[in-house]
């Protein structure tokens, strides 16, 4: 693997986050063998962002990411402030890989690489979150409340302790015992006009695509290229109700729960006292404003469409 600077802009720039998926991304890159591009191992979030930011100026028109949703978030946060000229390819090798699921990318790394280097280019929206002190782009989903508390707990533990499904489930159960539902005030900018909601909630999810949390179909009707963000608002559900609901979220069955509501928005402001995550990465606390950036990204996909 080349750990230095990219050397030949006529070839795709391939970025690997060796920590993604608890080291899985590094193993995938190694197992793929000789790659048809300039391969750079980026061992920090700052390095990922800097390389992504400089890709267009260096003459690259395709940037392939070997990693997960957190890696993609860093790449997008480097790319978008620098312009939108570089197309993305994805070899999913993280823990959740929810954007890859929404794009119907192959799970096999070799097949995913072929799509990433060729394939049709899907036009994909991006989400943007801004608070009083920080702003950040996200690609799959944001969460406020309980799921953000789980994300914070996971980020504070060694990777080996939670990378398995069992580890994730145990962390969820532990945090569910500790969590208290939170009052939220939402101002939703829907295509039909502004809607205000004040409600005590287990959590609120702001989704770009249908999947988050490692395969949960949190917003089954969400589409990556429709110019909208989908909001799933889970109301004042107790611990036992939440436990019963969690398995059904993977099938999208929670849409039938009367305490769960959905909105489609171009913007959303949330006030309250709750933690926030973006693509599974902790992002401080409320208040925050969310906005959609339509057609912000072009991503190689086997399935093109909204």
């Amino acid at each position: 693997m080349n750990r230095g600077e990219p050397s030949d802009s006529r070839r795709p720039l391939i970025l690997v986050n060796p920590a993604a998926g608890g080291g899985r991304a590094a193993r995938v890159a190694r197992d793929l063998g000789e790659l048809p591009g300039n391969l750079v191992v980026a061992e920090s979030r700052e390095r990922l962002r800097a390389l992504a930011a400089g890709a267009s100026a260096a003459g690259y028109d395709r940037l392939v990411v070997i990693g997960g949703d957190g890696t993609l978030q860093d790449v997008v946060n480097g790319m978008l402030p620098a312009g939108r000229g570089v197309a993305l390819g994805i070899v999913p090798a993280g823990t959740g890989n929810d954007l890859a699921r929404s794009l119907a990318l192959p799970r096999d790394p070799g097949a995913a690489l072929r799509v990433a280097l060729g394939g049709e280019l899907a036009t994909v929206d991006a989400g943007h979150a801004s608070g009083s002190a920080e702003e950040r782009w996200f690609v799959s989903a944001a969460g406020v409340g309980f799921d953000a508390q789980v994300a914070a707990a996971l980020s504070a533990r060694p990777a080996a302790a939670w990378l398995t499904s069992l580890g994730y489930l145990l962390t969820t159960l532990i945090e569910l015992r500790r969590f208290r539902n939170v009052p939220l005030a939402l101002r939703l900018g829907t295509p039909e006009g502004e809607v205000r909601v004040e409600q005590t909630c287990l959590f609120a999810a702001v989704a770009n695509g249908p999947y988050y949390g490692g395969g949960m179909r949190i917003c089954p009707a969400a589409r990556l290229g429709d110019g909208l963000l989908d909001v799933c608002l889970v109301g004042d559900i107790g611990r036992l109700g939440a436990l019963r609901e969690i398995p059904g979220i993977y099938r999208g069955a929670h849409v039938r729960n009367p305490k769960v509501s959905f909105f489609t928005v171009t913007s959303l402001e949330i006030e309250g006292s709750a933690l926030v995550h973006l693509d599974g990465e902790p992002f401080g606390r409320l208040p925050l404003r969310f906005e959609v950036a339509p057609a912000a990204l072009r991503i190689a996909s086997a399935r093109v469409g909204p």
Side-chain angles (χ1 to χ4, degrees), residues 104-175:
L105 295 180
R107 293 185 179 184
D108 175 73
L113 180 63
R114 289 190 289 273
V115 173
L117 294 171
E120 300 289 337
L121 290 179
T123 299
V124 172
D125 307 327
H128 185 261
S130 56
S132 58
E134 189 178 2
E135 60 181 303
R136 193 186 300 172
W137 299 92
F138 62 97
V139 290
S140 289
V144 174
F146 174 65
D147 59 340
Q149 183 160 316
V150 173
L154 292 174
S155 70
R157 298 184 179 187
W162 62 268
L163 278 172
T164 67
S165 298
L166 179 59
Y168 185 90
L169 177 60
L170 288 174
T171 302
T172 299
L173 295 176
I174 291 169
E175 296 307 316

Side-chain angles (χ1 to χ4, degrees), residues 1 3 16-27 40-44 66:
M1 295 183 185
R3 295 178 181 269
V16 181
N17 174 7
R24 180 169 180 252
R27 294 192 297 273
V40 179
V41 177
E43 296 181 338
S44 71
I66 302 178

Side-chain angles (χ1 to χ4, degrees), residues 21-295:
R24 180 169 180 252
R27 294 192 297 273
V28 165
R30 182 181 64 246
D31 293 346
L32 285 170
E34 188 67 27
L35 294 170
N38 294 326
L39 177 66
V40 179
V41 177
E43 296 181 338
S44 71
R45 304 186 69 172
E46 293 75 19
R47 179 85 166 128
L48 280 168
R49 292 188 186 192
L51 288 166
S56 180
Y60 293 99
D61 60 5
R62 181 69 58 97
L63 197 165
V64 175
V65 178
I66 302 178
D69 293 319
T71 305
L72 285 163
Q73 184 190 111
D74 287 322
V75 167
V76 167
N77 275 276
M79 286 177 56
L80 289 183
R84 305 185 180 185
V86 180
L88 271 175
I90 302 169
V91 178
T95 305
N97 301 316
D98 288 307
L99 182 61
R101 281 187 179 87
S102 295
L103 288 164
L105 295 180
R107 293 185 179 184
D108 175 73
L113 180 63
R114 289 190 289 273
V115 173
L117 294 171
E120 300 289 337
L121 290 179
T123 299
V124 172
D125 307 327
H128 185 261
S130 56
S132 58
E134 189 178 2
E135 60 181 303
R136 193 186 300 172
W137 299 92
F138 62 97
V139 290
S140 289
V144 174
F146 174 65
D147 59 340
Q149 183 160 316
V150 173
L154 292 174
S155 70
R157 298 184 179 187
W162 62 268
L163 278 172
T164 67
S165 298
L166 179 59
Y168 185 90
L169 177 60
L170 288 174
T171 302
T172 299
L173 295 176
I174 291 169
E175 296 307 316
L176 189 59
R177 292 183 61 188
R178 298 174 177 171
F179 188 74
R180 298 292 181 270
N181 292 354
V182 291
L184 297 178
L186 301 92
R187 186 162 68 181
L188 303 112
T190 77
E192 294 76 30
E194 184 177 284
V195 176
R196 291 176 180 259
V197 176
E198 293 188 13
Q199 187 175 351
T200 298
C201 298
L202 179 67
F203 69 86
V206 184
N208 191 26
Y211 294 101
Y212 96 147
M216 295 181 181
R217 295 185 65 206
I218 192 65
C219 290
R223 298 294 179 266
L224 289 168
D226 61 1
L228 297 165
L229 296 172
D230 285 55
V231 178
C232 174
L233 191 60
V234 179
D236 198 9
I237 296 176
R239 292 187 184 92
L240 290 178
L243 284 172
R244 287 194 296 266
E245 206 65 52
I246 286 172
I249 295 178
Y250 288 91
R251 307 188 307 274
H254 62 297
V255 301
R256 298 190 292 268
N257 191 312
K259 291 189 176 182
V260 178
S261 52
F262 294 88
F263 304 88
T264 54
V265 304
T266 56
S267 65
L268 167 66
E269 295 179 8
I270 308 182
E271 295 183 353
S273 180
L275 294 173
V276 181
H277 79 81
L278 304 179
D279 296 326
E281 303 289 331
F283 187 65
R285 307 186 71 92
L286 295 176
L288 282 179
R289 176 177 174 84
F290 297 92
E291 295 177 281
V292 64

